[in-house]
Amino acid sequence: MESVNSSTAVLEIRGAGSRYPALVGSGLVEQVGKHVHKYLPRKTCAIISDDKVAPLFARRVEESLAAAGFRHVLITIPVGEKSKTLQQAGAICDQMIAAGLDRQSFVIGLGGGVIGDISGFVAAIYHRGIPHVQTPTTLLAMVDSSIGGKTGVNTRDGKNLIGAVHHPSLVIDDLDVLKTLPPREFNQGFAEIIKHAVIADAKMFRTLQRWEAADAAALQQLIKRNIEIKSKIVAKDERDQTGERAVLNFGHTVGHAIERAGDFNQFLHGEALSLGIIAACTISIKKARLPPDQRDAVVDLLQRLKLPTRLPPKFPGGKILNALKFDKKFQGGKIRFVVTPRIGVAHLTQDVILEDIREAVAQL
Ligand SMILES: NC(=O)c1ccc[n+]([C@@H]2O[C@H](COP(=O)([O-])OP(=O)(O)OC[C@H]3O[C@@H](n4cnc5c(N)ncnc54)[C@H](O)[C@@H]3O)[C@@H](O)[C@H]2O)c1
Ligand SMILES: [Zn+2]
């Protein structure tokens, strides 16, 4: 790890098909032009953002790009998951063509995971692939979606069914942008962080147990560590083929089903994941001999970080089980399920059946 200035950390992310720096620090939105200039010897770009994030940060990014000699076009799409479509990706490409961008151009995604996914997908297909710079503005996007190269859009039948693996060329995490993030959005990022701790880092789990309202240095350290954890797991299995990357799905089988059962508007992804993590721990007690007191510690930590640990009263459990059928990993009654035998370790198993999940959901 090298340092750009005293406060910015630079991580080198390396995998078989990728190598890119991730910068984590303060005041980086104003320096996007300078950093892109250093890492990408190109002249023209599209900034892709949503209509909630663009008014907050786009002007500063635009000024820094202009100061560094880039020509750019700002493309703003409506906020939210409903914008993550093939049609929207096509409309963005049309605007890039109209602005005269070509194979030598690049894309900057400025926003949360929705923008990261669609801007990365556009970068993957525009002129058969141009570089992508991720400037994530949510905690979830910094610790999870901006790393690993998965890009894509949703279809009528499901999330992320169309996409490409297209690694970014540069990731810029400005801690200051998190100050405007609504508390619920901030807290949901911790669900992915706790997931990372449970599957890969018992020490980080203990750090989180002592977590106080974050100071910038602690938050920088935490984001760095999560980028390291995710990128190391991804590097072992970049195209999601050997099962090693699948441990990142810990908590997601039930989490996704809860998201769907709540019609994608009752819970944020991280909130549903929090409940999914608890269900996965319950199943791990039975199928992987997770000590019950470790499940309790996970529940306490989720609660401490303001994530839900119980389903709302009268929430229809049956709807969750129905939603499981949409899971791609569910085949022939058996599911590829990620369990943890102890905090800091996780593996895939074929041993889990629908009844195990039903029991675990009933306890939520
Ligand atoms: N590619 C991957 O590996 C991967 C992994 C996890 C999630 N995802 C995807 O990420 C998406 C969810 O990401 P998300 O939770 O970041 O959602 P999001 O992009 O919708 O952002 C959440 C909300 O916060 C607002 N916002 C963003 N930054 C802000 C800021 N700094 N200040 C104020 N408001 C701000 C946005 O406008 C939006 O309203 C989903 O589409 C999911 O599929 C992808
Ligand atoms: Zn997730």
Side-chain angles (χ1 to χ4, degrees):
M1 195 188 82
E2 59 172 292
S3 242
V4 173
N5 59 41
S6 56
S7 63
T8 303
V10 183
L11 287 99
E12 269 296 327
I13 315 286
R14 277 194 207 130
S18 61
R19 187 177 177 156
Y20 54 93
L23 317 184
V24 187
S26 293
L28 294 180
V29 157
E30 286 83 359
Q31 299 172 16
V32 167
K34 181 179 107 185
H35 292 299
V36 173
H37 184 71
K38 179 171 172 197
Y39 293 103
L40 268 181
R42 293 181 173 230
K43 288 273 162 247
T44 53
C45 67
I47 307 168
I48 301 174
S49 193
D50 71 41
D51 57 14
K52 201 167 147 200
V53 171
L56 294 171
F57 312 117
R59 198 167 55 87
R60 284 183 263 164
V61 174
E62 292 189 272
E63 283 171 4
S64 86
L65 286 169
F70 292 99
R71 186 170 71 76
H72 73 269
V73 57
L74 173 64
I75 299 173
T76 303
I77 64 173
V79 65
E81 192 71 31
K82 63 185 183 309
S83 279
K84 228 177 85 174
T85 63
L86 207 46
Q87 197 186 14
Q88 189 62 256
I92 293 171
C93 289
D94 288 341
Q95 290 183 66
M96 288 170 62
I97 292 165
L101 301 186
D102 61 16
R103 293 177 38 224
Q104 300 306 323
S105 306
F106 62 95
V107 169
I108 299 178
L110 175 67
V114 166
I115 289 298
D117 280 10
I118 191 167
S119 65
F121 181 63
V122 165
I125 59 175
Y126 195 74
H127 282 268
R128 299 189 185 83
I130 60 175
H132 182 217
V133 175
Q134 289 264 25
T135 313
T137 62
T138 63
L139 182 60
L140 183 139
M142 289 185 188
V143 299
D144 188 359
S145 57
S146 62
I147 302 296
K150 281 194 180 175
T151 74
V153 293
N154 306 325
T155 67
R156 192 195 52 199
D157 296 313
K159 280 187 70 176
N160 304 323
L161 290 180
I162 295 178
V165 176
H166 187 66
H167 292 280
S169 299
L170 173 64
V171 180
I172 301 176
D173 290 353
D174 184 345
L175 302 167
D176 296 337
V177 304
L178 299 175
K179 290 176 187 154
T180 53
L181 199 59
R184 250 182 102 188
E185 296 286 350
F186 186 77
N187 296 340
Q188 70 154 335
F190 273 97
E192 302 287 0
I193 290 172
I194 293 170
K195 176 198 79 179
H196 283 155
V198 173
I199 65 173
D201 192 344
K203 186 165 164 239
M204 184 167 81
F205 191 90
R206 291 191 291 274
T207 303
L208 290 166
Q209 287 177 310
R210 299 187 302 269
W211 191 258
E212 299 294 341
D215 63 280
L219 194 57
Q220 179 188 38
Q221 188 58 34
L222 188 69
I223 292 170
K224 259 172 53 188
R225 182 66 194 129
N226 279 275
I227 294 173
E228 278 165 10
I229 292 170
K230 176 152 185 194
S231 61
K232 277 192 183 135
I233 293 171
V234 169
K236 289 192 245 171
D237 178 19
E238 281 193 327
R239 302 199 70 87
D240 214 352
Q241 282 164 338
T242 65
E244 281 163 295
R245 186 169 180 156
V247 294
L248 290 167
N249 290 331
F250 182 75
H252 279 70
T253 301
V254 174
H256 280 148
I258 290 175
E259 239 181 318
R260 184 177 282 277
D263 296 322
F264 292 103
N265 57 35
Q266 195 162 348
F267 303 97
L268 297 178
H269 174 73
E271 294 169 346
L273 174 59
S274 175
L275 296 163
I277 288 173
I278 296 171
C281 287
T282 306
I283 292 169
S284 296
I285 294 174
K286 189 169 163 191
K287 297 286 163 126
R289 299 186 182 188
L290 176 73
D293 62 338
Q294 293 199 14
R295 175 194 182 274
D296 297 345
V298 173
V299 175
D300 284 350
L301 183 56
L302 290 164
Q303 201 159 30
R304 182 178 160 78
L305 291 164
K306 303 191 178 66
L307 286 157
T309 54
R310 305 294 306 257
L311 278 171
K314 301 205 183 98
F315 191 85
K319 232 178 148 187
I320 299 175
L321 294 187
N322 280 339
L324 274 173
K325 297 190 186 116
F326 286 89
D327 201 300
K328 285 170 279 188
K329 299 178 291 304
F330 211 103
Q331 286 147 357
K334 286 215 165 181
I335 193 156
R336 279 155 43 98
F337 200 92
V338 185
V339 287
T340 173
R342 62 178 187 281
I343 289 169
V345 181
H347 59 82
L348 260 180
T349 174
Q350 306 273 3
D351 276 354
V352 173
I353 57 172
L354 190 59
E355 183 55 22
D356 300 320
I357 298 180
R358 204 191 54 72
E359 273 174 28
V361 168
Q363 290 181 40
L364 285 173

